[in-house]
Amino acid sequence: MCGIIGVLGTHEVAPVLVDALKRLEYRGYDSAGIATVHNGKLDRRRALGKLINLSDLLVHEPLIGKSGIGHTRWATHGEPTVKNAHPHISGRVSVVHNGIIENFQELLKELKACGYAPTTQTDTETVSMLVDHYLSQGETPLQSVRNCLTKLNGAFGLCFLFEGEEDLIIATRKGSPLAIGYGDGEIYVGSDAIALAPMTDRISYLEEGDIAVLSRSQVSIEDKDSSPANREIRTIRSGSNRFEKDGYTHFMEKEIYEQPSVIAQNLKHYISDTGQITLNGINLDFSSIERITLVACGTAFYACLTAKYWFEKLARIPVDVDVASEFRYRTPPVAANTLAIFVSQSGETADTLAALRYCKDKAAHIWSVTNVTESSIARESDVDLPIYAGIEIGVASTKAFTCQLTVLLTLALKAASDQNQINDHKRHEILSSMQSLPSLINLALNCSENLRFVANELAHATDILFLGRGLLFPLALEGALKLKEISYIHAEAYAAGELKHGPIALIDETVPVVVMAPQDSLFDKTLSNVQEVMARKGRILMIADAKALKDAGQGFWKAIEMPHCHEIISPIIYAIPAQMLAYYTALAKGTDVDQPRNLAKSVTVE
Ligand code: F6R
């Protein structure tokens, strides 16, 4: 979602702003812009589409100044146009914004009555107009921002630059994260630490309702009650190569291939060398847990759906799984001792965060599984279980998904032990299969190379179905999502047994059907469903292990052989071909793999 950067520098700031915006590209955007203040005057450049368009514009129309703000916009209110691109300027104020001002129509009426005329269709412009309105009444920049905040409903990260103020940026957040970076005589603010990484590794995070007044020599922060606040400055691991493709064509490809190593890292934190569940040193006990609620969005939701099968199968604990955007408005009853687990790569997804707060209000136990330990979801949970995936840049989640699954499986296994539902032999069998995840994923990566050829043909399809049963059903959903988001081919997933209740009507020789069917306890059932498809001329792409392929016989359109693995870890292993199928199909179609159209990495609006 929208990326924000602000710099009070010691040199020309335009190239620094554009460079930082490049590092925020992964969040998804449709236009970009920067503003500076120079000789007291505000000026800006904005361009539609990719950042290269902004860079080109700056070659022809340079922007001078050592203080500036920048923005990558993911349109919410008003279509992507240069006019609607940020920064917005109203009178003496320029602003960049991530989030949504929900009451902007109402504010607009008041502002129009004061003589303001909007020049854009955005909600954000009301913010710059409001602050300018208070400035023109003689208020200081800080007081103007304070007054403005009392009027705003919604979620926002905001960063202001003021005419006549070359040593001042004001930043504030409610809902959308902002990080402050401390440099050598320079100060930075950004949507996340990634934006600031090459400039500084000394970062502090603003908390809900904070207002930060930045100058080159000082940062003063006040909290939501206007009391002075101290936000710890931490040194983060910045290693700039974390933001490089390291020879891969796309971040998504790099992240797919990183899975053996990040999962090994993940296992190190959750399982000891001697095969004991250590849960990252966190003391968690499931013995009195009677019910679990899992809440997430998108890919993380499919990780939760897989975990439902694990918790119910291994620990015999009933699990409810919900999409966060539905959960939060359904106002479901939540018993005070419910264990609610929120899964989120970014830790900032607005709906997941709102669902968390809803449960917290009901005094539930709040755990989270995140990839960003400083994120809002991690910080607002009673317990956060990090997934150790390392930064994920590709918009389509890959390594975070398999790391989420690994943590959730470990939790399910711990729950099974605490509830006395599993004997030592079975537990060790599963733990040792988990220890083999990195090597099995390596094998799966090799097998999946063959998918490249299949993908060239899939790229011509207009509709593709994914089928799976049991633990492979959520993965079928994930496979369809991955394909949709980066190749733009319509894909749907069904539980294999559900096909004949309607969707089988879609089958003909033009619809490829991807079936993920390891030789597990449900294999024969899946195979019957596959036969039903083939009897109707459906083209089956069978992804299965050698034994399953042999038992299944002939007649498939294509077959991809996977390594044999323990049934319980099959969703993690079969995630690899699902991801690669999407990746190679997108490559064949020539789409923008790392920044697919209309998508944002961190969805901080509802
Ligand atoms: C799909 C994808 C999204 C995210 C979803 C939740 O590839 O990445 O569906 O999984 O937006 O994001 P997080 O996990 O950050 O809460």
Side-chain angles (χ1 to χ4, degrees):
M1 211 122 278
C2 303
I4 287 180
I5 179 73
V7 177
L8 293 174
T10 47
H11 300 91
E12 285 305 313
V13 89
V16 184
L17 291 171
V18 173
D19 231 49
L21 291 180
K22 276 191 191 132
R23 285 186 297 280
L24 289 172
E25 275 191 305
Y26 78 98
R27 298 165 72 97
Y29 70 109
D30 42 54
S31 54
I34 61 172
T36 59
V37 56
H38 177 63
N39 285 342
K41 291 266 170 279
L42 288 171
D43 199 359
R44 66 180 161 180
R45 302 286 179 268
R46 298 173 294 169
L48 198 55
K50 292 288 173 197
L51 272 172
I52 186 76
N53 301 337
L54 179 64
S55 299
D56 282 352
L57 178 67
L58 285 162
V59 170
H60 301 291
E61 299 175 33
L63 196 58
I64 298 169
K66 293 180 181 166
S67 316
I69 54 178
H71 190 261
T72 46
R73 175 172 188 249
W74 187 85
T76 58
H77 294 63
E79 52 187 309
T81 58
V82 172
K83 246 194 179 153
N84 288 335
H86 302 209
H88 294 294
I89 296 182
S90 306
R92 295 166 54 197
V93 181
S94 182
V95 70
V96 288
H97 168 214
N98 176 16
I100 290 177
I101 308 301
E102 285 167 0
N103 58 335
F104 83 102
Q105 299 281 18
E106 205 178 293
L107 295 172
L108 211 50
K109 274 191 211 140
E110 292 176 29
L111 285 158
K112 280 180 180 167
C114 297
Y116 282 91
T119 58
T120 76
Q121 303 158 305
T122 67
D123 52 337
T124 306
E125 200 187 5
T126 53
V127 177
S128 48
M129 291 193 287
L130 255 182
V131 174
D132 183 65
H133 167 68
Y134 291 118
L135 277 182
S136 63
Q137 292 186 334
E139 299 286 10
T140 62
L142 175 57
Q143 193 53 45
S144 300
V145 170
R146 282 189 191 128
N147 292 353
C148 168
L149 293 186
T150 62
K151 307 274 282 181
L152 303 183
N153 293 340
F156 44 81
L158 292 164
C159 205
F160 298 93
L161 198 63
F162 299 88
E163 191 177 281
E165 302 280 356
E166 293 185 30
D167 195 22
L168 176 69
I169 285 176
I170 297 184
T172 180
R173 70 157 283 189
K174 186 185 148 212
S176 306
L178 279 182
I180 310 289
Y182 298 77
D184 202 3
E186 301 195 328
I187 287 290
Y188 320 99
V189 55
S191 311
D192 57 36
I194 301 170
L196 312 181
M199 284 123 51
T200 183
D201 59 358
R202 297 180 60 236
I203 301 284
S204 67
Y205 287 90
L206 293 188
E207 299 204 351
E208 285 292 273
D210 280 358
I211 304 179
V213 180
L214 316 180
S215 76
R216 287 174 182 79
S217 56
Q218 197 188 350
V219 171
S220 48
I221 301 175
E222 61 182 44
D223 66 15
K224 58 179 182 324
D225 305 316
S226 301
S227 306
N230 235 331
R231 303 295 172 224
E232 186 195 349
I233 302 175
R234 293 179 237 169
T235 304
I236 55 152
R237 261 188 331 116
S238 67
S240 48
N241 69 330
R242 293 195 299 145
F243 313 117
E244 304 294 335
K245 292 188 192 129
D246 294 345
Y248 290 97
T249 312
H250 295 100
F251 281 110
M252 182 181 178
E253 185 189 19
K254 176 187 172 196
E255 287 157 5
I256 288 174
Y257 278 93
E258 275 176 349
Q259 290 175 104
S261 69
V262 292
I263 287 187
Q265 192 61 24
N266 181 309
L267 290 169
K268 236 189 236 169
H269 285 89
Y270 286 90
I271 300 171
S272 74
D273 293 343
T274 55
Q276 304 301 316
I277 301 172
T278 56
L279 292 187
N280 206 27
I282 303 168
N283 191 12
L284 297 177
D285 188 354
F286 284 86
S287 45
S288 59
I289 301 290
E290 290 173 3
R291 197 166 196 97
I292 299 174
T293 294
L294 291 167
V295 183
C297 300
T299 287
F301 170 72
Y302 297 141
C304 291
L305 212 51
T306 314
K308 174 182 170 73
Y309 284 74
W310 282 328
F311 275 108
E312 295 189 347
K313 204 178 180 76
L314 298 172
R316 312 300 302 153
I317 301 176
V319 173
D320 302 309
V321 186
D322 237 305
V323 166
S325 54
E326 287 299 310
F327 179 87
R328 61 182 291 198
Y329 291 116
R330 206 176 63 238
T331 61
V334 177
N337 60 353
T338 298
L339 170 58
I341 306 180
F342 299 85
V343 180
S344 172
Q345 187 283 128
S346 63
E348 298 294 349
T349 300
D351 285 318
T352 311
L353 183 58
L356 180 154
R357 288 177 179 158
Y358 174 83
C359 286
K360 205 167 182 172
D361 228 38
K362 306 272 177 286
H365 305 290
I366 309 292
W367 297 3
S368 58
V369 175
T370 68
N371 197 27
V372 184
T373 46
E374 307 84 13
S375 63
S376 307
I377 289 176
R379 285 189 286 120
E380 293 190 27
S381 304
D382 301 323
V383 171
D384 177 54
L385 296 142
I387 61 169
Y388 297 102
I391 182 161
E392 192 177 66
I393 302 271
V395 162
S397 188
T398 52
K399 60 177 181 170
F401 176 64
T402 47
C403 284
Q404 285 161 352
L405 289 179
T406 308
V407 171
L408 290 165
L409 176 54
T410 318
L411 285 181
L413 210 49
K414 174 72 164 70
S417 303
D418 292 350
Q419 296 258 347
N420 290 322
Q421 292 290 344
I422 193 165
N423 61 33
D424 283 352
H425 173 74
K426 187 84 188 156
R427 187 175 53 246
H428 283 127
E429 180 188 307
I430 295 176
L431 280 169
S432 76
S433 78
M434 291 180 73
Q435 298 285 20
S436 67
L437 277 170
S439 56
L440 282 171
I441 291 175
N442 264 322
L443 286 175
L445 284 166
N446 289 337
C447 299
S448 303
E449 267 291 312
N450 296 332
L451 285 169
R452 189 188 282 263
F453 304 104
V454 182
N456 287 336
E457 297 197 39
L458 279 189
H460 300 292
T462 48
D463 302 283
I464 298 178
L465 293 186
F466 282 72
L467 300 183
R469 244 180 205 271
L471 277 165
L472 273 295
F473 167 49
L475 191 66
L477 291 162
E478 169 63 2
L481 174 66
K482 240 23 6 137
L483 191 83
K484 271 185 276 214
E485 53 182 347
I486 60 168
S487 77
Y488 315 149
I489 295 174
H490 171 242
E492 283 196 62
Y494 291 97
E498 185 63 11
L499 202 66
K500 55 182 154 308
H501 299 286
I504 200 161
L506 295 171
I507 301 293
D508 65 21
E509 61 280 6
T510 67
V511 181
V513 181
V514 182
V515 182
M516 289 185 276
Q519 182 46 275
D520 60 13
S521 48
L522 295 172
F523 177 70
D524 291 342
K525 307 275 174 210
T526 309
L527 196 56
S528 305
N529 304 132
V530 167
Q531 297 297 346
E532 290 157 11
V533 173
M534 292 202 299
R536 287 157 184 84
K537 296 194 168 52
R539 286 194 294 165
I540 296 280
L541 165 56
M542 188 76 168
I543 303 177
D545 54 48
K547 178 153 189 341
L549 288 177
K550 183 160 172 278
D551 292 354
Q554 305 289 312
F556 304 127
W557 171 55
K558 306 273 179 202
I560 298 291
E561 187 183 315
M562 297 300 290
H564 171 71
C565 65
H566 193 293
E567 178 169 352
I568 213 83
I569 59 164
S570 58
I572 306 177
I573 303 302
Y574 280 69
I576 306 301
Q579 296 165 352
M580 291 186 104
L581 194 65
Y583 177 68
Y584 289 131
T585 307
L587 269 194
K589 288 201 72 182
T591 53
D592 189 345
V593 170
D594 282 334
Q595 290 152 37
R597 69 184 181 203
N598 305 340
L599 292 182
K601 180 69 183 162
S602 171
V603 185
T604 48
V605 296
E606 62 173 287

